[in-house]
């Protein structure tokens, strides 16, 4: 009876057993497919993003600032991709083991059940035979060996039967839990997968977002470049069109002759220049400084890196230093950065080897900079310019007298003697302003002549980026100096006077940079101070009122007031519409023979050719007496090399 029940129970579980076996097989297949997918994915990713591939694709390009080495980025991406694939494999494994483990245990249970049934049979038979032997006796024994044997067999059989029933019941109730447990395990595997993916993403996201910012900027540049190309093309087209016969003219009709061309128009030189936006921007930045600061040479050069990459940058040689332009977010434009100091015992040599137009700069500390020009001619010009600026450096007098430059940068040679008077004035100016007006560094190398302050190299770099209309720089050591400019600096300007005006009311939260401050702090301070007039005080006067005040101050010769007006957005070339004379501040100063005011105005961009209501310029005014100090000041300014 019991055995029948057991068989029936086993029969009800049979389909379930078959089903779990099928699931286990499927799980194995799933696992195998997952492993194949992983292997295939990893090998494809490696091929797609391999360093070799990226090298081939991008070896001719330069590394973009802020984006980093493309090959390195590629390989970090491949690594992340591999990690993702490993995670997938891990997920597949976990799903399999999570689902299979309970099913497997369950199936094992069936095998046990078969064994148990056999065992139960044996024990049952044992008990039955012992019992029948005992029943064969005439009287049922209450003790003796047969009694003991029967009692033992019954004990064995009944307890075992109880255990089997309990086991079957457990198995029966377990089948309900079976799939739920498996499915829950699968969810755990998914959870682990997503969490693993999340941590990989977290690592990647930061650098990804940083690169995106740079890429956006590059895209904008690209668009600007495109617009410029389109514009240049339309100009070129118009120029070429001009040489064609007008539309509707009979065949063979003569095209209009361009009067400027002395030859047939189709061989005349085209005037449309092909420029990229980058080179145009670079030269625009450069032209701002060219006039005032003896630039020896500038242009594009390739910088060679040890590992074969090349950077194409705009370089500028000035005052024995080689600068390149770097994009600065704070200055919202390109900022010149010194990359090599040629004055410190450096050597310039042609690089031996097969690569053409290469030359090598080696500093006395062993630092090497390898550059490549775009032609033999360009290379020779660069090398000559670099050697020339070294000679200038060597020729400059040492000791206390090297305060005054002997170099005429643009002529690239030729000693320029400056009188004793200028030397004495320069001495006074340096002694009165021994530290950088921005950061307090004692290593002053430059002066901003319109603001009237001394500057260290680092602060001068930021000033240069403001443009010469905001801050006009001259090298204290290497530029030639005008007595008039020096007089102005000593008598009316200087760090302390400039501080009283430009730092009259420093807003809370702003601190002056120190010699150790980073470039960003310097940039923020200097730009806030001069470009945004951030610290001159909360004066709400409007510009015409200030400009009007400047005209009167110039006429009075009140230099302090003129300087104040300039720092409060006064317009140096403004003329008062209410005044009949139509004079500018420079007219007013010249008429009243105020030399010091004239110098300050000229340093700050006053136009000596601007005419008043009678059509007379400031230059005309002073030239009535060509030997006067004022006439000499204006003549010197017109010549340009000392201002
Ligand atoms: Zn400084």
């Amino acid at each position: 009876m019991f055995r029948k029940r057991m068989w029936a129970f086993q029969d009800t579980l049979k389909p379930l057993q078959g089903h779990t076996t099928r699931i286990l097989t499927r799980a194995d297949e799933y696992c195998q497919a997952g492993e194949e997918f992983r292997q295939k994915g990893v090998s494809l990713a490696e091929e797609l993003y391999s360093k070799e591939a990226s090298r081939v694709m991008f070896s001719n390009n330069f590394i973009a600032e802020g984006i980093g080495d493309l090959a390195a980025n590629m390989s970090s991406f491949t690594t992340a991709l591999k990690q993702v694939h490993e995670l997938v494999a891990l997920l597949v494994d976990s799903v399999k083991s999570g689902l299979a483990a309970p099913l497997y245990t369950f199936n094992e249970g069936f095998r046990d059940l078969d064994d148990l049934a056999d065992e139960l049979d044996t024990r049952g038979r044992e008990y039955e035979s012992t019992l029948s032997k005992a029943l064969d006796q005439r009287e049922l024994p209450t003790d003796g060996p047969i009694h003991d044997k029967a009692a033992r067999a019954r004990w064995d059989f009944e307890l075992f039967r109880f255990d089997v029933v309990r086991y079957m019941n457990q198995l029966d109730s377990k089948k309900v839990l079976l799939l739920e447990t498996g499915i829950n395990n699968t969810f755990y595997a998914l959870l682990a997968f997503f969490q693993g993916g999340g941590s990989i993403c977290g690592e990647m996201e930061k650098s990804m977002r940083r690169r995106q910012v740079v890429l956006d900027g590059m895209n904008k540049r690209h668009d600007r470049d495109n617009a410029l190309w389109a514009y240049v093309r339309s100009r070129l087209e118009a120029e070429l069109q001009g040489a064609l016969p007008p539309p509707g003219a009979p065949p063979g009709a003569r095209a209009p002759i361009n009067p400027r061309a002395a030859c047939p128009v189709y061989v005349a030189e085209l005037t449309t220049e092909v420029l990229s936006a980058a080179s145009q921007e670079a030269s625009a930045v450069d032209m701002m400084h060219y006039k005032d600061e003896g630039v020896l040479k500038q242009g594009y050069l390739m910088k060679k890196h040890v590992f074969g990459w090349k950077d194409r940058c705009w370089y500028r040689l000035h005052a024995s230093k080689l600068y390149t332009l770097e994009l600065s977010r704070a200055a919202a434009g390109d900022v010149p950065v010194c990359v090599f100091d040629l004055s410190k015992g450096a050597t310039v040599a042609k690089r031996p080897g097969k690569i053409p137009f290469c030359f090598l700069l080696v500093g006395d500390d062993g630092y090497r900079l390898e550059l490549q020009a775009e032609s033999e001619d360009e290379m020779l010009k660069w090398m000559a310019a670099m050697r020339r600026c070294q000679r200038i450096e060597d020729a400059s007098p040492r000791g206390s007298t090297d305060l005054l430059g002997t170099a005429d940068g643009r002529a690239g040679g030729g000693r320029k003697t400056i009188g004793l008077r200028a030397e004495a004035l320069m001495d006074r100016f340096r002694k009165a302003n021994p530290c950088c007006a921005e950061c307090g560094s004692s290593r002053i190398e430059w002066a901003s002549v319109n603001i009237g302050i001394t500057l260290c190299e680092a602060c001068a770099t930021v000033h240069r980026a403001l443009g010469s209309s905001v801050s006009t720089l001259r090298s204290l050591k290497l530029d030639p100096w005008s007595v008039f400019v020096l007089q102005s600096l000593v008598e009316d300007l200087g760090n302390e006077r400039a501080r009283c005006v430009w730092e009259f009311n420093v807003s809370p939260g702003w601190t002056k940079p120190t010699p150790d401050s980073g470039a960003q702090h310097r940039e923020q301070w200097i730009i806030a101070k001069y470009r945004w007039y951030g610290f001159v005080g909360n004066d709400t006067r409007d510009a015409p009122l200030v400009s009007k005040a400047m005209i009167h101050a110039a006429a009075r010769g009140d230099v302090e007031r003129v300087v104040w007006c300039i720092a409060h957005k006064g317009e140096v070339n403004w003329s008062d519409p209410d005044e009949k004379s139509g004079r500018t501040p420079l007219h007013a100063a010249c008429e009243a023979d105020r030399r010091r005011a004239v110098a300050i105005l000229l340093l700050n961009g006053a136009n000596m050719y601007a005419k008043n209501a009678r059509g007379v310029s400031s230059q005309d005014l002073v030239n009535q007496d060509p030997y006067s100090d004022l006439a000499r000041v204006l003549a010197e300014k017109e010549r340009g090399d000392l201002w």
Side-chain angles (χ1 to χ4, degrees):
M1 189 63 192
F2 173 71
R3 213 164 301 159
K4 266 189 191 163
R5 274 217 330 263
M6 197 164 147
W7 287 335
F9 176 66
Q10 267 182 311
D11 282 346
T12 62
L13 289 183
K14 272 270 154 55
L16 188 60
Q17 192 181 11
H19 193 66
T20 50
T21 315
R22 265 203 308 283
I23 289 182
L24 282 176
T25 320
R26 284 277 179 250
D28 272 338
E29 286 169 11
Y30 176 65
C31 222
Q32 216 170 339
E35 175 59 21
E36 275 169 26
F37 170 73
R38 185 189 70 83
Q39 281 178 4
K40 211 167 185 177
V42 168
S43 76
L44 278 176
E46 271 177 350
E47 209 173 308
L48 195 60
Y49 295 105
S50 71
K51 280 185 187 176
E52 281 73 19
S54 61
R55 284 265 159 83
V56 171
M57 281 164 77
F58 297 100
S59 61
N60 290 327
N61 223 321
F62 48 86
I63 306 165
E65 173 84 15
I67 291 201
D69 186 336
L70 195 68
N73 288 343
M74 285 282 197
S75 89
S76 74
F77 183 76
T78 318
T79 311
L81 208 61
K82 267 192 214 165
Q83 283 174 319
V84 170
H85 280 285
E86 297 293 343
L87 269 182
V88 170
L90 207 66
L91 168 73
V92 168
D93 272 345
S94 320
V95 166
K96 190 210 156 186
S97 59
L99 197 62
L103 295 185
Y104 189 75
T105 323
F106 190 67
N107 275 6
E108 285 293 294
F110 287 124
R111 224 178 51 214
D112 290 350
L113 202 62
D114 281 338
D115 293 345
L116 288 177
D118 290 346
E119 178 74 22
L120 192 66
D121 255 4
T122 320
R123 290 184 191 211
R125 272 195 300 276
E126 179 88 1
Y127 175 52
E128 276 169 14
S129 76
T130 322
L131 195 63
S132 73
K133 271 181 201 159
L135 288 175
D136 284 347
Q137 311 272 323
R138 196 170 298 273
E139 226 176 294
L140 283 178
T142 54
D143 55 358
I146 192 74
H147 172 269
D148 286 354
K149 211 176 172 188
R152 171 77 48 199
R154 188 178 183 198
W155 188 86
D156 270 356
F157 172 69
E158 287 298 344
L159 268 186
F160 196 75
R161 194 171 69 156
F162 179 84
D163 284 345
V164 171
V165 171
R166 189 176 77 170
Y167 189 70
M168 276 160 57
N169 271 299
Q170 276 179 339
L171 220 52
D172 195 34
S173 62
K174 216 176 189 177
K175 76 178 180 198
V176 184
L177 294 172
L178 195 72
L179 267 169
E180 287 299 338
T181 311
I183 286 170
N184 220 31
N185 285 349
T186 315
F187 279 125
Y188 275 119
L190 275 177
L191 201 67
F193 173 71
F194 287 127
Q195 276 172 349
S199 75
I200 294 177
C201 288
E203 281 166 34
M204 287 172 71
E205 190 179 355
K206 219 173 158 189
S207 62
M208 183 188 84
R209 299 227 177 269
R210 207 179 48 233
R211 279 200 290 270
Q212 188 58 49
V213 172
V214 180
L215 279 177
D216 288 346
M218 286 171 75
N219 266 329
K220 269 190 203 140
R221 272 195 167 205
H222 180 80
D223 289 347
R224 268 201 323 250
D225 212 31
N226 242 350
L228 190 79
W229 280 114
Y231 165 72
V232 171
R233 191 186 188 284
S234 66
R235 266 195 58 182
L236 185 66
E237 205 181 355
E239 197 179 342
L240 293 168
Q241 183 75 39
L244 292 176
R254 280 178 66 99
I257 299 293
N258 182 344
R260 277 184 293 115
C263 51
V265 278
Y266 52 83
V267 291
E269 204 177 331
L270 290 167
T271 60
T272 306
E273 251 187 293
V274 178
L275 280 174
S276 76
S279 70
Q280 204 188 43
E281 267 172 30
S283 30
V285 169
D286 229 80
M287 287 316 288
M288 287 199 295
H289 312 298
Y290 183 82
K291 197 166 183 302
D292 293 327
E293 298 176 22
V295 173
L296 280 176
K297 176 146 182 65
Q298 56 191 334
Y300 276 115
L301 284 173
M302 290 281 211
K303 179 183 171 186
K304 295 208 51 234
H305 293 267
V306 236
F307 47 94
W309 288 93
K310 287 178 183 177
D311 262 340
R312 187 166 182 266
C313 290
W314 187 265
Y315 285 90
R316 177 197 305 159
L317 187 62
H318 172 249
S320 298
K321 290 193 174 77
L322 188 65
Y323 294 88
T324 184
L325 297 177
E326 274 181 16
L327 198 66
S328 151
R329 205 172 296 162
D334 292 316
V335 173
V337 174
C338 177
V339 289
F340 200 91
D341 189 347
L342 283 147
S343 62
K344 296 177 187 159
T347 56
V348 183
K350 192 172 183 311
R351 186 189 180 283
K354 283 182 185 162
I355 307 165
F357 325 136
C358 264
F359 58 102
L360 201 60
L361 308 180
V362 185
D364 59 348
D365 55 354
Y367 173 68
R368 293 156 67 93
L369 181 64
E370 198 175 334
L371 295 165
Q372 187 182 25
E374 288 170 356
S375 68
E376 179 82 17
D377 186 45
E378 269 293 291
M379 180 192 75
L380 292 174
K381 278 183 184 161
W382 272 107
M383 286 170 63
M386 285 172 179
R387 288 182 179 143
R388 201 162 63 216
C389 75
Q390 284 183 314
R391 277 202 301 279
I392 293 165
E393 181 74 10
D394 291 343
S396 68
R398 298 284 162 199
S400 62
T401 48
D402 84 345
L403 299 181
L404 279 167
T406 52
D408 183 343
R410 230 150 310 132
R415 218 178 139 107
K416 185 154 194 151
T417 322
I418 288 187
L420 284 174
R421 195 159 164 229
E423 228 170 88
L425 281 168
M426 176 54 97
D427 224 15
R428 272 178 64 190
F429 178 57
R430 287 187 63 131
K431 276 191 184 134
N433 306 284
C435 298
C436 170
E438 310 297 356
C439 71
S441 162
S442 58
R443 305 177 64 171
I444 49 170
E445 296 202 18
W446 296 85
S448 169
V449 287
N450 60 327
I451 300 170
I453 51 175
T454 51
L455 293 167
C456 70
E457 180 69 49
C459 295
T461 304
V462 186
H463 268 257
R464 196 172 287 116
L466 292 171
S468 60
S469 58
V470 178
S471 179
T472 312
L473 295 183
R474 292 188 81 78
S475 166
L476 291 173
K477 288 182 188 172
L478 297 166
D479 280 329
W481 282 86
S482 147
V483 169
F484 294 121
V485 173
L486 282 166
Q487 267 178 336
S488 229
L489 289 175
V490 170
E491 292 168 356
D492 299 317
L493 298 167
N495 293 354
E496 185 51 29
R497 290 192 187 95
R499 194 187 62 76
C500 290
V501 175
W502 288 98
E503 294 175 27
F504 179 76
N505 183 13
V506 176
S507 325
W510 285 87
T511 52
K512 222 174 150 91
T514 64
D516 302 323
S517 290
Q520 205 187 0
H521 186 187
R522 265 177 233 273
E523 276 178 20
Q524 283 171 345
W525 170 264
I526 292 170
I527 287 167
K529 190 168 157 185
Y530 301 108
R531 182 172 287 167
W532 310 119
Y533 301 87
F535 312 136
V536 293
N538 290 331
D539 212 318
T540 51
R541 288 160 209 260
D542 52 343
L545 218 59
V546 176
S547 305
K548 193 180 237 172
M550 181 155 38
I551 294 179
H552 294 293
R556 287 198 309 276
D558 184 348
V559 176
E560 206 175 303
R561 192 74 181 153
V562 171
V563 170
W564 185 93
C565 289
I566 290 169
H568 286 75
K569 306 186 190 176
E571 174 52 57
V572 284
N573 289 314
W574 190 77
S575 62
D576 189 347
D578 296 338
E579 269 189 37
K580 274 189 194 151
S581 66
R583 60 179 180 165
T584 63
L586 190 60
H587 279 111
C590 289
E591 274 164 357
D593 195 18
R594 307 288 186 189
R595 177 187 57 75
R596 287 159 66 172
V598 166
I600 297 287
L601 288 167
L602 286 176
L603 284 171
N604 281 283
N607 177 5
M608 65 173 101
Y609 311 114
K611 291 186 169 148
N612 63 12
R614 289 183 291 128
V616 178
S617 70
S618 308
Q619 194 182 37
D620 300 334
L621 282 175
V622 300
N623 279 347
Q624 290 165 5
D625 179 2
Y627 299 105
S628 67
D629 259 5
L630 271 190
R632 280 170 52 211
V633 169
L634 262 63
E636 199 179 83
K637 165 76 182 168
E638 191 173 30
R639 226 171 40 240
D641 54 346
L642 291 176
W643 284 69

PDB file of all heavy atoms in Angstrom, residues 169-183:
ATOM      1  N   ASN A 169       7.719  14.443   1.634  1.00  0.00           N
ATOM      2  CA  ASN A 169       6.957  15.668   1.898  1.00  0.00           C
ATOM      3  C   ASN A 169       7.803  16.916   1.661  1.00  0.00           C
ATOM      4  O   ASN A 169       7.344  17.894   1.086  1.00  0.00           O
ATOM      5  CB  ASN A 169       6.442  15.661   3.333  1.00  0.00           C
ATOM      6  CG  ASN A 169       5.089  14.983   3.416  1.00  0.00           C
ATOM      7  OD1 ASN A 169       4.129  15.432   2.797  1.00  0.00           O
ATOM      8  ND2 ASN A 169       5.023  13.865   4.123  1.00  0.00           N
ATOM      9  N   GLN A 170       9.049  16.813   2.142  1.00  0.00           N
ATOM     10  CA  GLN A 170       9.959  17.955   1.943  1.00  0.00           C
ATOM     11  C   GLN A 170      10.164  18.230   0.461  1.00  0.00           C
ATOM     12  O   GLN A 170      10.114  19.368  -0.003  1.00  0.00           O
ATOM     13  CB  GLN A 170      11.312  17.660   2.596  1.00  0.00           C
ATOM     14  CG  GLN A 170      11.329  17.983   4.074  1.00  0.00           C
ATOM     15  CD  GLN A 170      12.669  17.657   4.700  1.00  0.00           C
ATOM     16  OE1 GLN A 170      13.428  16.862   4.144  1.00  0.00           O
ATOM     17  NE2 GLN A 170      12.938  18.231   5.847  1.00  0.00           N
ATOM     18  N   LEU A 171      10.392  17.137  -0.280  1.00  0.00           N
ATOM     19  CA  LEU A 171      10.622  17.263  -1.716  1.00  0.00           C
ATOM     20  C   LEU A 171       9.404  17.899  -2.381  1.00  0.00           C
ATOM     21  O   LEU A 171       9.524  18.782  -3.238  1.00  0.00           O
ATOM     22  CB  LEU A 171      10.863  15.861  -2.289  1.00  0.00           C
ATOM     23  CG  LEU A 171      11.949  15.725  -3.348  1.00  0.00           C
ATOM     24  CD1 LEU A 171      13.248  16.340  -2.871  1.00  0.00           C
ATOM     25  CD2 LEU A 171      12.150  14.256  -3.688  1.00  0.00           C
ATOM     26  N   ASP A 172       8.236  17.480  -1.949  1.00  0.00           N
ATOM     27  CA  ASP A 172       6.993  17.980  -2.536  1.00  0.00           C
ATOM     28  C   ASP A 172       6.839  19.477  -2.301  1.00  0.00           C
ATOM     29  O   ASP A 172       6.489  20.233  -3.207  1.00  0.00           O
ATOM     30  CB  ASP A 172       5.819  17.214  -1.911  1.00  0.00           C
ATOM     31  CG  ASP A 172       4.556  17.427  -2.733  1.00  0.00           C
ATOM     32  OD1 ASP A 172       4.712  17.544  -3.980  1.00  0.00           O
ATOM     33  OD2 ASP A 172       3.466  17.506  -2.155  1.00  0.00           O
ATOM     34  N   SER A 173       7.134  19.897  -1.058  1.00  0.00           N
ATOM     35  CA  SER A 173       6.963  21.326  -0.781  1.00  0.00           C
ATOM     36  C   SER A 173       8.086  22.140  -1.428  1.00  0.00           C
ATOM     37  O   SER A 173       7.915  23.297  -1.777  1.00  0.00           O
ATOM     38  CB  SER A 173       6.942  21.571   0.725  1.00  0.00           C
ATOM     39  OG  SER A 173       8.177  21.186   1.279  1.00  0.00           O
ATOM     40  N   LYS A 174       9.228  21.509  -1.642  1.00  0.00           N
ATOM     41  CA  LYS A 174      10.377  22.240  -2.182  1.00  0.00           C
ATOM     42  C   LYS A 174      10.162  22.639  -3.632  1.00  0.00           C
ATOM     43  O   LYS A 174      10.666  23.669  -4.087  1.00  0.00           O
ATOM     44  CB  LYS A 174      11.623  21.366  -2.078  1.00  0.00           C
ATOM     45  CG  LYS A 174      12.875  22.175  -1.761  1.00  0.00           C
ATOM     46  CD  LYS A 174      14.045  21.262  -1.570  1.00  0.00           C
ATOM     47  CE  LYS A 174      15.235  22.014  -1.038  1.00  0.00           C
ATOM     48  NZ  LYS A 174      16.338  21.087  -0.783  1.00  0.00           N
ATOM     49  N   LYS A 175       9.413  21.837  -4.375  1.00  0.00           N
ATOM     50  CA  LYS A 175       9.273  22.127  -5.803  1.00  0.00           C
ATOM     51  C   LYS A 175       8.629  23.501  -6.030  1.00  0.00           C
ATOM     52  O   LYS A 175       8.849  24.141  -7.046  1.00  0.00           O
ATOM     53  CB  LYS A 175       8.488  21.025  -6.510  1.00  0.00           C
ATOM     54  CG  LYS A 175       6.998  21.062  -6.255  1.00  0.00           C
ATOM     55  CD  LYS A 175       6.282  19.984  -7.020  1.00  0.00           C
ATOM     56  CE  LYS A 175       4.787  20.069  -6.726  1.00  0.00           C
ATOM     57  NZ  LYS A 175       4.077  18.845  -7.061  1.00  0.00           N
ATOM     58  N   VAL A 176       7.859  23.965  -5.021  1.00  0.00           N
ATOM     59  CA  VAL A 176       7.241  25.287  -5.144  1.00  0.00           C
ATOM     60  C   VAL A 176       8.319  26.375  -5.072  1.00  0.00           C
ATOM     61  O   VAL A 176       8.296  27.365  -5.800  1.00  0.00           O
ATOM     62  CB  VAL A 176       6.213  25.498  -4.019  1.00  0.00           C
ATOM     63  CG1 VAL A 176       5.502  26.823  -4.198  1.00  0.00           C
ATOM     64  CG2 VAL A 176       5.222  24.350  -3.993  1.00  0.00           C
ATOM     65  N   LEU A 177       9.277  26.150  -4.149  1.00  0.00           N
ATOM     66  CA  LEU A 177      10.328  27.157  -3.955  1.00  0.00           C
ATOM     67  C   LEU A 177      11.325  27.197  -5.100  1.00  0.00           C
ATOM     68  O   LEU A 177      12.016  28.183  -5.310  1.00  0.00           O
ATOM     69  CB  LEU A 177      11.108  26.849  -2.670  1.00  0.00           C
ATOM     70  CG  LEU A 177      10.346  26.982  -1.370  1.00  0.00           C
ATOM     71  CD1 LEU A 177      11.202  26.460  -0.227  1.00  0.00           C
ATOM     72  CD2 LEU A 177       9.992  28.439  -1.131  1.00  0.00           C
ATOM     73  N   LEU A 178      11.358  26.051  -5.801  1.00  0.00           N
ATOM     74  CA  LEU A 178      12.436  25.819  -6.742  1.00  0.00           C
ATOM     75  C   LEU A 178      12.660  26.962  -7.739  1.00  0.00           C
ATOM     76  O   LEU A 178      13.704  27.619  -7.755  1.00  0.00           O
ATOM     77  CB  LEU A 178      12.092  24.537  -7.493  1.00  0.00           C
ATOM     78  CG  LEU A 178      13.201  23.909  -8.260  1.00  0.00           C
ATOM     79  CD1 LEU A 178      14.185  23.302  -7.284  1.00  0.00           C
ATOM     80  CD2 LEU A 178      12.615  22.808  -9.136  1.00  0.00           C
ATOM     81  N   LEU A 179      11.623  27.226  -8.548  1.00  0.00           N
ATOM     82  CA  LEU A 179      11.803  28.219  -9.606  1.00  0.00           C
ATOM     83  C   LEU A 179      11.943  29.627  -9.036  1.00  0.00           C
ATOM     84  O   LEU A 179      12.722  30.435  -9.534  1.00  0.00           O
ATOM     85  CB  LEU A 179      10.642  28.153 -10.582  1.00  0.00           C
ATOM     86  CG  LEU A 179      10.946  27.222 -11.753  1.00  0.00           C
ATOM     87  CD1 LEU A 179       9.715  26.957 -12.570  1.00  0.00           C
ATOM     88  CD2 LEU A 179      12.043  27.811 -12.635  1.00  0.00           C
ATOM     89  N   GLU A 180      11.181  29.896  -7.947  1.00  0.00           N
ATOM     90  CA  GLU A 180      11.272  31.232  -7.343  1.00  0.00           C
ATOM     91  C   GLU A 180      12.708  31.526  -6.913  1.00  0.00           C
ATOM     92  O   GLU A 180      13.233  32.611  -7.155  1.00  0.00           O
ATOM     93  CB  GLU A 180      10.333  31.343  -6.139  1.00  0.00           C
ATOM     94  CG  GLU A 180       8.860  31.421  -6.502  1.00  0.00           C
ATOM     95  CD  GLU A 180       8.531  32.642  -7.352  1.00  0.00           C
ATOM     96  OE1 GLU A 180       9.307  33.621  -7.326  1.00  0.00           O
ATOM     97  OE2 GLU A 180       7.506  32.612  -8.059  1.00  0.00           O
ATOM     98  N   THR A 181      13.351  30.552  -6.275  1.00  0.00           N
ATOM     99  CA  THR A 181      14.736  30.739  -5.841  1.00  0.00           C
ATOM    100  C   THR A 181      15.646  30.990  -7.043  1.00  0.00           C
ATOM    101  O   THR A 181      16.476  31.907  -7.049  1.00  0.00           O
ATOM    102  CB  THR A 181      15.230  29.483  -5.086  1.00  0.00           C
ATOM    103  OG1 THR A 181      14.267  29.141  -4.115  1.00  0.00           O
ATOM    104  CG2 THR A 181      16.576  29.736  -4.441  1.00  0.00           C
ATOM    105  N   GLY A 182      15.448  30.179  -8.083  1.00  0.00           N
ATOM    106  CA  GLY A 182      16.277  30.319  -9.288  1.00  0.00           C
ATOM    107  C   GLY A 182      16.133  31.702  -9.894  1.00  0.00           C
ATOM    108  O   GLY A 182      17.118  32.368 -10.224  1.00  0.00           O
ATOM    109  N   ILE A 183      14.871  32.168 -10.001  1.00  0.00           N
ATOM    110  CA  ILE A 183      14.634  33.470 -10.631  1.00  0.00           C
ATOM    111  C   ILE A 183      15.229  34.587  -9.786  1.00  0.00           C
ATOM    112  O   ILE A 183      15.868  35.516 -10.293  1.00  0.00           O
ATOM    113  CB  ILE A 183      13.122  33.678 -10.849  1.00  0.00           C
ATOM    114  CG1 ILE A 183      12.673  32.787 -12.010  1.00  0.00           C
ATOM    115  CG2 ILE A 183      12.807  35.124 -11.161  1.00  0.00           C
ATOM    116  CD1 ILE A 183      11.190  32.707 -12.169  1.00  0.00           C
TER     117      ILE A 183
END
